[in-house]
């Protein structure tokens, strides 16, 4: 804007004026040289004459001192009051809020993969390569926050306001994601259905196309990954960018003659980083909840669905005269399939702070349900065996093995297959309590295995 450009020009002028006033002009240097030449023939103590001349030492402290005097001068102060800087900040921050609100509204209607990024394709590609963001929404968020600190937007007297604005924008994003994780925000739109007769203009009930995004496991994983990148970037790259804008590490057109002390820059970065990290404190708990609660719950439900087939094992061998089993039931390989597929898709996009605990929780929950189903079936088979034993009809002609023994052997083969799949997903079977219990429930049938 014109206001911003004019203010920067004035600030640059005052900054450079301090160092220019301390530099001896070419004309002064010429007169001084001629004067010294004229003194050569005189018997004068040149050292004492030098004391009559004031030659300021050009140092950082000297320049800063002169700059402070210029900025604190009454005329400079009176002139600065004529700039309505708070209004300028409100306008700029309003622009950033408008962009963020528009992005949020579109995401709510079209989902997380809606193309809400308002920058160019080149900028989007650069952001993806440098930061790792995948969802357009988070590309837009980071671009909005970076926009506040551009040379044609930022003003030094408003540093505290711009920093607070950055923290407020981050807080708005965190709140939006958190509300979605809690199930308080619906995505999608409800559209009205009208009849074909325009004259009657009959409105049918709404067609509900809305959904809760926290129930979609791919959305949850994708958002958590970009949220992790945002949290990391805020505390590192973004904090460094803000520090460099406030105190340019090198002399620049907008920095004038001010040279920055490395200690000052380091302290500034630390302060900015601490403020931003504090504003992002709510991010990590959300990510933990996404993986250790929501994703675990969804995967547990998916992996538990095939366990209904455990009851069918008894029906497979009861009064069918089938030979003893030699391999695991087909359903066993499908139990942990959803976990394997999800783990493969997001292997390189799992937040570091989450670790592998979420997988252990999924396996533990599924193993608990599996253990319960096997225990119930084993008790049923045991009661049936007792009843048949009393009727002296315990053994059949097929391999000399009773139906109940065949069921137990099948459960043993299934258990060993399941334990193998647990190991395949990167979880140590012996570390899961219910896996060990499942093994103890079925290992009694080991004696029924064919002798090799």
């Amino acid at each position: 804007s014109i206001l911003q450009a004019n203010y920067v020009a004035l600030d640059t002028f005052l900054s450079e004026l301090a160092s220019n006033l301390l530099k001896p002009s070419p004309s002064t240097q010429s007169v001084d040289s001629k004067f010294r030449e004229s003194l050569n023939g005189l018997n004068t103590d040149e050292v004492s004459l030098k004391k009559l001349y004031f030659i300021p030492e050009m140092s950082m402290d000297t320049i800063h001192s002169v700059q402070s005097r210029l900025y604190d001068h009454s005329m400079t102060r009176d002139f600065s009051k004529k700039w309505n800087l708070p209004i300028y900040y409100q306008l700029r921050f309003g622009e950033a809020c408008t962009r963020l609100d528009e992005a949020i509204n579109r995401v709510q209607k079209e989902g997380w993969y809606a193309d809400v990024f308002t920058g160019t394709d080149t900028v989007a590609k650069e952001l993806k390569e440098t930061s790792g963001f995948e969802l357009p929404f988070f590309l837009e968020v980071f671009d909005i926050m970076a926009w506040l600190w551009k040379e044609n937007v930022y003003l030094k007297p408003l540093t505290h306001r711009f920093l607070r604005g950055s923290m407020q924008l981050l807080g708005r994003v965190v709140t939006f994601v958190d509300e979605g994780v809690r199930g308080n925000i619906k995505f999608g739109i409800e559209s009205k259905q009208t009849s074909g007769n325009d004259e009657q203009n009959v409105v049918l009930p709404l067609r509900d196309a809305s959904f809760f995004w926290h129930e979609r496991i791919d959305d949850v994983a994708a958002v958590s990954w970009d949220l992790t990148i945002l949290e990391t970037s805020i505390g590192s790259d973004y904090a460094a960018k803000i520090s460099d804008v406030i105190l340019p590490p090198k002399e620049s057109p907008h920095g004038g003659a001010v040279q920055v002390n490395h200690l000052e820059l380091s302290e500034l970065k630390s302060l900015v980083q601490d403020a931003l990290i504090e504003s992002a404190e709510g991010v990590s708990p959300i990510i933990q909840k996404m993986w250790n609660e929501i994703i675990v719950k969804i995967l547990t439900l998916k992996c538990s669905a095939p366990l209904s087939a455990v009851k069918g094992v008894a029906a497979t061998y009861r009064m069918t005269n089938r030979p003893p089993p030699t391999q695991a039931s087909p359903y066993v390989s499908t139990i942990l399939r959803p976990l394997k597929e999800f783990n493969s898709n997001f292997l390189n996009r799992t937040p570091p702070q989450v670790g592998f605990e979420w997988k252990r929780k999924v396996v533990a929950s599924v193993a608990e349900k599996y253990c319960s189903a096997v225990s119930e079936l084993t008790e049923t088979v045991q009661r049936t065996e007792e009843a048949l034993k009393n009727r002296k009809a315990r053994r059949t002609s097929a391999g000399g093995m009773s139906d109940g023994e065949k069921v137990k052997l099948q459960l043993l083969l299934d258990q060993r297959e399941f334990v193998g799949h647990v190991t395949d997903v990167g979880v140590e079977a012996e570390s899961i309590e219910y896996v060990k219990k499942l093994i103890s429930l079925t290992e009694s049938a080991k004696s029924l295995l064919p002798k090799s």
Side-chain angles (χ1 to χ4, degrees):
S1 67
I2 297 176
L3 184 147
Q4 195 269 351
N6 288 340
Y7 189 90
V8 169
L10 173 64
D11 187 65
T12 303
F13 168 74
L14 291 174
S15 176
E16 293 178 346
L17 179 62
S19 59
N20 290 335
L21 288 174
L22 296 177
K23 292 178 182 178
S25 64
S27 59
T28 304
Q29 290 179 345
S30 176
V31 171
D32 182 64
S33 176
K34 291 179 180 179
F35 181 71
R36 290 178 186 277
E37 289 177 1
S38 66
L39 295 176
N40 286 336
L42 301 176
N43 185 14
T44 308
D45 187 0
E46 188 174 351
V47 176
S48 62
L49 288 176
K50 282 185 178 180
K51 297 178 180 179
L52 300 177
Y53 295 90
F54 174 69
I55 304 176
E57 295 181 2
M58 293 288 289
S59 66
M60 185 189 305
D61 292 337
T62 307
I63 295 174
H64 282 173
S65 177
V66 176
Q67 284 179 336
S68 297
R69 291 175 62 187
L70 286 173
Y71 284 122
D72 291 338
H73 195 276
S74 58
M75 292 184 64
T76 307
R77 286 178 174 275
D78 291 340
F79 188 72
S80 297
K81 290 178 182 178
K82 299 181 183 296
W83 301 85
N84 202 339
L85 298 185
I87 296 297
Y88 170 79
Y89 168 75
Q90 291 176 13
L91 293 173
R92 287 305 204 182
F93 185 64
E95 292 179 50
C97 290
T98 299
R99 283 181 62 184
L100 181 58
D101 288 340
E102 289 176 353
I104 288 176
N105 290 335
R106 276 198 62 188
V107 166
Q108 274 191 253
K109 291 180 181 179
E110 304 173 28
W112 283 108
Y113 291 90
D115 187 12
V116 298
F117 185 64
T118 55
T120 62
D121 293 339
T122 304
V123 174
K125 183 180 179 181
E126 182 181 347
L127 275 177
K128 287 180 179 180
E129 291 176 352
T130 56
S131 63
F133 289 115
E134 295 182 356
L135 298 176
F137 174 77
F138 286 93
L139 287 174
E140 180 72 353
V141 168
F142 196 76
D143 189 60
I144 293 171
M145 295 180 68
W147 175 82
L148 284 176
W149 299 94
K150 287 187 175 181
E151 288 186 354
N152 60 345
V153 177
Y154 164 76
L155 284 178
K156 196 166 186 176
L158 299 173
T159 298
H160 63 292
R161 293 178 184 263
F162 278 93
L163 182 58
R164 184 182 63 193
S166 299
M167 297 165 65
Q168 289 174 333
L169 291 173
L170 178 61
R172 175 76 173 92
V173 173
V174 173
T175 300
F176 174 62
V177 175
D178 186 44
E179 288 295 309
V181 169
R182 296 174 184 273
N184 297 332
I185 296 178
K186 264 191 173 184
F187 275 27
I189 51 176
E190 294 180 341
S191 57
K192 294 181 180 180
Q193 302 181 58
T194 57
S195 65
N197 190 341
D198 294 336
E199 294 180 359
Q200 295 180 359
N201 197 24
V202 178
V203 179
L204 300 177
L206 294 176
R207 180 174 61 85
D208 190 1
S210 60
F211 63 93
F212 292 103
W213 68 266
H214 75 288
E215 296 175 349
R216 299 185 174 187
I217 192 168
D218 287 348
D219 281 0
V220 175
V223 171
S224 71
W225 177 244
D226 274 24
L227 202 58
T228 301
I229 295 175
L230 180 63
E231 181 187 30
T232 304
S233 300
I234 288 298
S236 56
D237 297 343
Y238 189 67
K241 175 182 175 64
I242 293 176
S243 302
D244 290 343
V245 171
I246 298 174
L247 288 179
K250 295 181 180 179
E251 188 172 350
S252 67
H254 296 294
V258 178
Q259 298 294 322
V260 178
N261 186 296
H262 290 292
L263 180 60
E264 289 181 350
L265 185 60
S266 177
E267 291 178 352
L268 177 64
K269 284 184 178 180
S270 179
L271 289 172
V272 172
Q273 190 176 42
D274 290 345
L276 292 172
I277 289 176
E278 183 178 350
S279 67
E281 283 182 348
V283 174
S284 188
I286 294 175
I287 295 172
Q288 293 289 348
K289 183 175 182 178
M290 284 177 164
W291 284 83
N292 293 323
E293 294 182 29
I294 297 175
I295 289 178
V296 167
K297 180 181 178 180
I298 296 174
L299 286 175
T300 299
L301 288 173
K302 289 184 176 182
C303 293
S304 301
L307 294 178
S308 59
V310 174
K311 295 180 180 179
V313 174
T316 302
Y317 295 101
R318 186 180 298 132
M319 308 296 290
T320 59
N321 203 29
R322 284 191 175 188
T326 57
Q327 60 184 12
S329 304
Y331 77 88
V332 179
S333 62
T334 66
I335 296 176
L336 295 180
R337 183 179 295 168
L339 175 58
K340 285 184 178 180
E341 292 176 349
F342 177 82
N343 187 49
S344 175
N345 292 336
F346 291 94
L347 181 63
N348 297 322
R349 291 180 289 168
T350 303
Q353 65 267 39
V354 171
F356 303 102
E357 183 61 24
W358 65 277
K359 283 196 284 188
R360 294 187 74 260
K361 287 185 176 182
V362 173
V363 172
S365 298
V366 174
E368 182 181 2
K369 295 177 184 294
Y370 193 5
C371 197
S372 177
V374 169
S375 178
E376 184 179 336
L377 179 60
T378 302
E379 291 175 3
T380 302
V381 170
Q382 190 67 33
R383 289 195 297 267
T384 304
E385 285 275 282
E386 291 296 328
L388 292 176
K389 181 179 180 181
N390 294 336
R391 296 179 185 179
K392 297 182 181 181
R394 182 168 174 260
R395 295 194 174 273
T396 63
S397 59
M401 192 180 292
S402 70
D403 293 344
E405 289 172 333
K406 294 175 187 175
V407 172
K408 291 179 181 179
L409 178 57
Q410 184 67 72
L411 292 177
L412 172 64
L413 296 173
D414 292 350
Q415 170 263 118
R416 291 186 172 183
E417 177 81 3
F418 175 75
V419 171
H421 289 302
V422 170
T423 304
D424 290 342
V425 296
V427 176
E428 187 177 347
E430 292 297 323
S431 67
I432 308 298
E433 188 65 31
Y434 281 100
V435 172
K436 291 192 290 185
K437 187 176 180 180
L438 178 64
I439 293 173
S440 66
L441 283 173
T442 57
E443 282 298 310
S444 60
K446 191 188 300 183
S447 60
L448 301 174
L449 290 169
K451 302 295 187 291
S452 55

